[in-house]
Amino acid sequence: MIFDEAYSGKVFIMSRKDYDSAEAVIYGMPMDYTVSFRPGSRFGPGRIREASIGLEEYSPYMDKHLEEVNYFDAGDILFPFGNAEKSLGLIEGYVDKLLNDGKFPLGLGGEHLVTWPVIKAMAKKYPDLALIHIDAHADLREEYEGEVLSHSTPVRKVCGLIGANNVYSFGIRSGMREEFAFAKESGMVLEKFDVAEPLQKYLPKLAGRPVYVTIDIDVLDPAFAPGTGTAEAGGITSKELLQAIQLIAESELNVVGADIVEVAPAYDPTEQTSIAASKFVREILLGWV
Amino acid sequence: MIFDEAYSGKVFIMSRKDYDSAEAVIYGMPMDYTVSFRPGSRFGPGRIREASIGLEEYSPYMDKHLEEVNYFDAGDILFPFGNAEKSLGLIEGYVDKLLNDGKFPLGLGGEHLVTWPVIKAMAKKYPDLALIHIDAHADLREEYEGEVLSHSTPVRKVCGLIGANNVYSFGIRSGMREEFAFAKESGMVLEKFDVAEPLQKYLPKLAGRPVYVTIDIDVLDPAFAPGTGTAEAGGITSKELLQAIQLIAESELNVVGADIVEVAPAYDPTEQTSIAASKFVREILLGWV
Amino acid sequence: MIFDEAYSGKVFIMSRKDYDSAEAVIYGMPMDYTVSFRPGSRFGPGRIREASIGLEEYSPYMDKHLEEVNYFDAGDILFPFGNAEKSLGLIEGYVDKLLNDGKFPLGLGGEHLVTWPVIKAMAKKYPDLALIHIDAHADLREEYEGEVLSHSTPVRKVCGLIGANNVYSFGIRSGMREEFAFAKESGMVLEKFDVAEPLQKYLPKLAGRPVYVTIDIDVLDPAFAPGTGTAEAGGITSKELLQAIQLIAESELNVVGADIVEVAPAYDPTEQTSIAASKFVREILLGWV
Amino acid sequence: MIFDEAYSGKVFIMSRKDYDSAEAVIYGMPMDYTVSFRPGSRFGPGRIREASIGLEEYSPYMDKHLEEVNYFDAGDILFPFGNAEKSLGLIEGYVDKLLNDGKFPLGLGGEHLVTWPVIKAMAKKYPDLALIHIDAHADLREEYEGEVLSHSTPVRKVCGLIGANNVYSFGIRSGMREEFAFAKESGMVLEKFDVAEPLQKYLPKLAGRPVYVTIDIDVLDPAFAPGTGTAEAGGITSKELLQAIQLIAESELNVVGADIVEVAPAYDPTEQTSIAASKFVREILLGWV
Amino acid sequence: MIFDEAYSGKVFIMSRKDYDSAEAVIYGMPMDYTVSFRPGSRFGPGRIREASIGLEEYSPYMDKHLEEVNYFDAGDILFPFGNAEKSLGLIEGYVDKLLNDGKFPLGLGGEHLVTWPVIKAMAKKYPDLALIHIDAHADLREEYEGEVLSHSTPVRKVCGLIGANNVYSFGIRSGMREEFAFAKESGMVLEKFDVAEPLQKYLPKLAGRPVYVTIDIDVLDPAFAPGTGTAEAGGITSKELLQAIQLIAESELNVVGADIVEVAPAYDPTEQTSIAASKFVREILLGWV
Amino acid sequence: MIFDEAYSGKVFIMSRKDYDSAEAVIYGMPMDYTVSFRPGSRFGPGRIREASIGLEEYSPYMDKHLEEVNYFDAGDILFPFGNAEKSLGLIEGYVDKLLNDGKFPLGLGGEHLVTWPVIKAMAKKYPDLALIHIDAHADLREEYEGEVLSHSTPVRKVCGLIGANNVYSFGIRSGMREEFAFAKESGMVLEKFDVAEPLQKYLPKLAGRPVYVTIDIDVLDPAFAPGTGTAEAGGITSKELLQAIQLIAESELNVVGADIVEVAPAYDPTEQTSIAASKFVREILLGWV
């Protein structure tokens, strides 16, 4: 074989060629129109794939090889640029299809608002869904500059849909006073600053539950992920996020879907953000699917 | 005086402190949500101001000094991110106000769609308005991926509003076949590839007419303006654009407003795009106001 | 309100428009002519303001909102480039004025030498002033390549002025043998490598004392602040610096002024250094003023 | 259709999904081990594809649309890194296959040495092959630091294979004295500095001949293509190269294959080199296939 | 003295001018042709020298000054680009000479394969040589895409030469399953993820032994060393690597040579990777020679 | 020979090892403290040397090889940072020495103020010296923000020293009104915008005269030289500057010294500015010495 599309960065490394037999499906959501600071996460999915060329297929963290998980990289959803509402509809429809086909959806953002339609689809299939939300930002706003569809609102919307008490946020170090107040009153879990340690407390409680995990790459300190729209100093290390992924993998959770969002390559000429994100994707494939 | 806000890059160099007495008003339109390729022009206005620190206040092209033109830099309009429709409404309202107050509006983009509401306001005040459009792209689409409000549609919309025969496009080197066909059939002027030379042909015809001039920085070859969303090889030089600005300044046109759009600083670590754009703003202030 | 200059990056976010009623004044000192390695910190103040657009106005660290502190961003001092002596005179004069007007001076560098004239002004008003100095470099040289006015000498000069026993340096990991020797003999405090932990030891001792705090951004590891002139591997994390700011906020110190210096944006295309520095400025406003 | 792999940058824009019916085949040769200055052209093919997302499918130069040409993007050849000999063997074998299948080979480099095995395959099929070579460098060395397989030698090797009198070099502005001497003595055509004008002289002479065209992106001035290994000041503009492509398209030449080489994206954070190269690929597809 | 070549970045800071009297010799190995992901480490040695200008000559870690160690910077070996085999021969020959002359060889890479010929030379002189290998990657492959001379194979080759039980790898977080299996079976030491702590366990065991230490800069997290070919998230901090260097310095090991490899400056516009590496070189000079 | 310091970028390519026999001496003046916009030209000389590795030693423009000119690269002068006056004294002293030793001084800046002491030295030796000044900026200010020693004043000072009628400026496109007025009244030659064409007019007049040529890299459009402090849109191409160098080479001028200044690498991650400058240095060596 002289060609291998995975080694051209066309798809995530070792992606199989067949949708039907795949357990998991990687799909990109290149949308970034509602971000308030630095746009550009639409190029995140493509660069995460490209960076996967540099990965080993075996993980010494999970002691597992990508050939042990059957997955298919479907490419990016084609969006009408600037129309958030229609774009979110496309996402929800696609994830509906994935779930009907029995796939594990593994989404690549794009801005964090893309998680909202995914959860809408997930909640239809899993009425007792819980959300693990790993992020620097609370994303609990009701609106942003008058907009309900904003990258600052998805978690608040999820609270309305599946119940705040089923939402667990970790690593949060930025938000409005009202967001932190809402977190307290609503009964959701919001753990500030750290991820791995507080996560350990809650994992037993979630045992057996269907859980969706959304990771905003900006939970990492900008030192580890400068290529993101709303970089926020004071974050966790890549080591801690790898540890969190492993804790979830070793837990009794029934992870039913996941995403990694907000990789914006234009702000990171070193490419380290895409490189790190592609490693997290590998670990998710090996540990959660 | 130990402080000078112009020398801090807070406003365009030599901006006066008083709106009321100003002839011209510089205002930023930091919107970029409908672009189809690389977003980021929302940071254009701020970086053009910052780069103006490096400019001389005197122009050897115009043999004129900025103290001879009274202008006020109003800052950027505050937009609801991701909502194109509301943002365009804010722009139209603001330009209405500027025109009522007798100001020359000098807008800094942002994506090219911002020119559409500006022209709507201009056409109310100047019913016989003509448009000079300097750009790499025809921007004559009726819609883009189903969206009517897109950075690819503003000139088409202007044709509908003021009549295609009042629209003069220069430097165009990219578009759909349908756009070039429309240009031919509609009676507008569309000159491919070059700007200064074809401009000379049409300036006499426009003598005495109220004319709005919109400059998309991507009319320059990416060599001269890499910091833009949809860079297109094969463009003109900065020298040619300076010459075009001077030709208009020396013509009998009644320039009643202007803008420079699509400066996206994130793609240009050399900062040359902002530096060039700030020089064009100076020349416009000296030559057209 | 369709314009908001803070959201244009013209001033630090939420800066009030009135000098007279302000408790604190932010001012830029864009000077960098005596640095020995990579110049460019003259652009630090402007980019810290620009990056503040991405900040929340509320801090979950301090549980406080910027509306609770009344401050005014005065812009940058206008310097005669290349003349260190005159520039330092302008700084001292301006801080004299701020102190006479009862303001808390919050300076943005520029190179570290700018702290020297600030301390001269502070010491006139507060004869029992102490200095907390957070930095990678000892800055205790008597001269550098024959120059007494150098970015390597300010702390030595302060020792001469207010007494070495009133100077507390933290995080130091670079200097000449003579500087470390001077630190030992002179009776000043010099703690190597770490900041937060040793700081805790000394804060009680300084309770009630008027203290000026100067933070050189290069105390952070270059991973967290690559945009600085003399990056020095082996530094602290952003988390530790945030913790140090909070420790001081919660102490009994009477902080009477502060600065953050040596942000040099040209060496950091990711902008993370300015982004981090703008967060530290917010925390200082909320915690120390 | 909610997915379109061309719009994900996975393949060149509008690539068809079927090899068998395609007239032309785009293939990448990500090899860069023998370059003497800045390596990195192995990432050229992938980034040219990614940049093609920003292209229009219609060309106003050719007045033609990509739907009028049936082509297939095969991806990149998988090379044994560091082994030039084996890599060149893989290329020759693949182009043999393309020619057997009646395809027009359109290669994306990679370093310029990749053209050597391509020509070996071409010459087997077309014994009277001529080469048009557009480049800043003569590439006429017999060896480089003792290496016969070097990015400085391919044109010399081609001279040996098909006869120097069948080799036409344009735009050359760098080489050893011996290379220019060889050019003179050998009977090949070597035109210095310019491309479009001298090309016009020779095109009639080549009418009807099977011709392979190789374009080294560094024929452009570094202003227009900074992302290349051996940038050489004093080159031509993108406009001139577009004109040259058009001249060949309008000539009576029988172009039987082509390549664009030496795009090294790491040296160009503006991405303008990949953007320009993707436009040249479009023009070649429309004009030469 | 108005010139000082060390202060021009021509040689590593404070390099002496005389080879004969030097204890240690710094030499560059600018080879990067076998890397599988991002090439460019050939520019590592030059930029490490340039960055050394920003260093102090005194180390507060070692409490020692560079004037206490006599070393000579010989420059870079001149390689035939693209020919790995000949290049490795040149390295082995040069290190043979250094050892015959009684020098401590301190090599600057270049890709990691350069360590292989160095060890071949070292093992001839020190038959009981042990290797300390600090790296993100196991480098234990037998071949890579069919190539035995690859940047993924050097440690495996060393195991064959000096015995796996004399090889100690630290910080490893990437490799094939087969590499980790080989590590276990072969009797070598392979400690995952961390460096300083596991190192402490093994240092006593190596007391008195002649030891060569090879440091791949990618053992650092990409946050601390983005400028490297195969960046791998989840690494150690610069602080930990400085601590490891110090632990070895304070141990009873007989360090007989060392190298730092894989600094690839093109991927790090912040220059922090070269800056960090130059500090590690200083510490090695002060602590190990 | 396995080492060649020129191929390590330690000195300009093919620099001889012996000062005494050299006809020309290359020396760096890494000073940038008086620039008003973007500092960093202190790193210009080093990067020009590094970039020379990518040059051919033969020039097809001059049809000459570097082995035909005997020159020595002396390195950079060691300056007291921030002290312009002392630094200028060091330069004058060094050029005095070079002229006494019969050398052709070829200086690398650094900011343009460095040319002032060079001319002071030149004028002592050549009382009838003329200056050819190729630049975007007039540099004719009497002072800048109160400073007489500024990067904006050197040509004015030269006019005072050798007589304005002996000063010929080309390419000027920026300055204060007063500077252009001075140029007119003083009798100097100041040609705006272009270089090669106006130069041709004046060369015959200068035949036989001892002439010093100073080239500010910013005469090039920022497209061709983004890495400079005060980039100014609308400049000439690299081709035109190469042509100007050749015109002087072919003239009857007695060129007695030259410099290239204002290369500031930090603003140009593409490195094209250093690459172009190193080519101009080669052409000067071949054509003027």
Side-chain angles (χ1 to χ4, degrees), chain C residues 32-33 42 80-83, chain F residues 31-37 39 42 82-85 88 111-114 144 147-154 262:
Chain C
D32 59 7
Y33 351 123
R42 68 179 67 181
F81 294 109
N83 189 322
Chain F
M31 162 180 169
D32 59 7
Y33 350 123
T34 81
V35 303
S36 54
F37 195 38
R42 71 179 66 180
N83 190 320
E85 208 171 330
L88 300 186
E111 59 168 290
H112 215 159
L113 183 52
V114 301
Y144 188 83
E147 290 306 299
V148 173
L149 290 179
S150 154
H151 79 129
S152 305
T153 62
E262 298 283 7

Side-chain angles (χ1 to χ4, degrees), chain E residues 182-197:
Chain E
F182 170 83
K184 253 189 205 148
E185 295 152 16
S186 68
M188 70 175 282
V189 167
L190 187 156
E191 293 280 343
K192 285 192 290 191
F193 311 131
D194 300 312
V195 175
E197 205 196 293

Side-chain angles (χ1 to χ4, degrees), chain B residues 98-152:
Chain B
L98 289 180
L99 294 176
N100 282 343
D101 295 349
K103 310 300 184 194
F104 180 103
L106 178 33
L108 307 179
E111 60 169 290
H112 215 161
L113 183 53
V114 300
T115 301
W116 166 231
V118 176
I119 296 292
K120 286 207 285 182
M122 301 298 299
K124 282 180 269 183
K125 171 127 185 202
Y126 302 101
D128 57 337
L129 188 76
L131 176 71
I132 291 181
H133 167 228
I134 298 173
D135 197 341
H137 304 89
D139 288 359
L140 288 166
R141 296 193 181 209
E142 288 201 274
E143 43 109 72
Y144 187 84
E145 308 285 340
E147 290 306 299
V148 173
L149 291 180
S150 154
H151 79 130
S152 305

Side-chain angles (χ1 to χ4, degrees), chain A residues 7-280:
Chain A
Y7 279 101
S8 302
K10 291 170 69 170
V11 294
F12 196 84
I13 195 173
M14 266 209 71
S15 165
R16 304 322 188 286
K17 293 188 189 308
D18 176 36
Y19 172 89
D20 292 333
S21 63
E23 293 166 78
V25 172
I26 297 173
Y27 63 104
M29 298 172 280
M31 162 179 169
D32 59 7
Y33 350 122
T34 80
V35 303
S36 53
F37 195 36
R38 306 189 301 182
S41 59
R42 69 181 64 181
F43 293 106
R47 292 292 170 93
I48 292 172
R49 288 181 187 103
E50 187 187 83
S52 75
I53 313 171
L55 286 177
E56 286 289 344
E57 297 161 358
Y58 167 77
S59 163
Y61 301 85
M62 303 286 179
D63 186 16
K64 237 175 132 181
H65 191 281
L66 285 174
E67 71 198 354
E68 302 173 49
V69 189
N70 189 339
Y71 57 93
F72 173 78
D73 182 348
D76 286 358
I77 299 181
L78 189 58
F79 288 134
F81 294 110
N83 190 320
E85 209 172 329
K86 279 194 207 162
S87 300
L88 300 187
L90 286 170
I91 295 170
E92 187 177 347
Y94 184 64
V95 179
D96 280 343
K97 179 188 150 53
L98 289 180
L99 295 176
N100 281 343
D101 295 349
K103 310 299 185 194
F104 180 103
L106 177 34
L108 307 179
E111 59 168 289
H112 214 159
L113 182 54
V114 301
T115 301
W116 166 231
V118 176
I119 296 292
K120 284 207 284 183
M122 301 298 298
K124 282 181 268 183
K125 171 126 187 203
Y126 303 101
D128 56 337
L129 187 76
L131 176 71
I132 290 181
H133 167 228
I134 299 174
D135 197 341
H137 303 90
D139 288 358
L140 288 167
R141 295 194 182 208
E142 288 203 274
E143 44 109 73
Y144 188 84
E145 307 285 339
E147 290 306 298
V148 174
L149 291 180
S150 155
H151 78 130
S152 305
T153 61
V155 179
R156 179 65 167 267
K157 291 171 153 303
V158 172
C159 286
L161 184 71
I162 66 171
N165 57 322
N166 292 311
V167 173
Y168 297 76
S169 289
F170 300 94
I172 310 304
R173 58 189 187 275
S174 183
M176 295 196 305
R177 192 196 290 274
E178 292 70 22
E179 294 176 76
F180 289 94
F182 170 84
K184 253 189 206 148
E185 294 153 16
S186 67
M188 70 175 281
V189 166
L190 188 155
E191 293 280 344
K192 285 192 289 192
F193 311 132
D194 299 314
V195 174
E197 205 197 293
L199 190 63
Q200 276 174 304
K201 274 195 298 191
Y202 296 101
L203 287 179
K205 222 178 122 181
L206 285 164
R209 285 279 297 278
V211 177
Y212 185 87
V213 187
T214 181
I215 299 174
D216 187 322
I217 199 78
D218 67 20
V219 73
L220 296 179
D221 192 276
F224 299 86
T228 194
T230 323
E232 182 77 35
I236 67 168
T237 65
S238 288
K239 257 191 175 173
E240 183 170 348
L241 186 50
L242 285 164
Q243 193 193 344
I245 294 173
Q246 202 165 357
L247 284 169
I248 292 172
E250 293 164 354
S251 74
E252 319 252 306
L253 262 57
N254 175 22
V255 183
V256 292
D259 62 46
I260 296 188
V261 300
E262 299 282 7
V263 172
Y267 306 102
D268 179 11
T270 72
E271 301 178 335
Q272 66 173 281
T273 314
S274 309
I275 288 171
S278 72
K279 185 167 182 174
F280 303 139

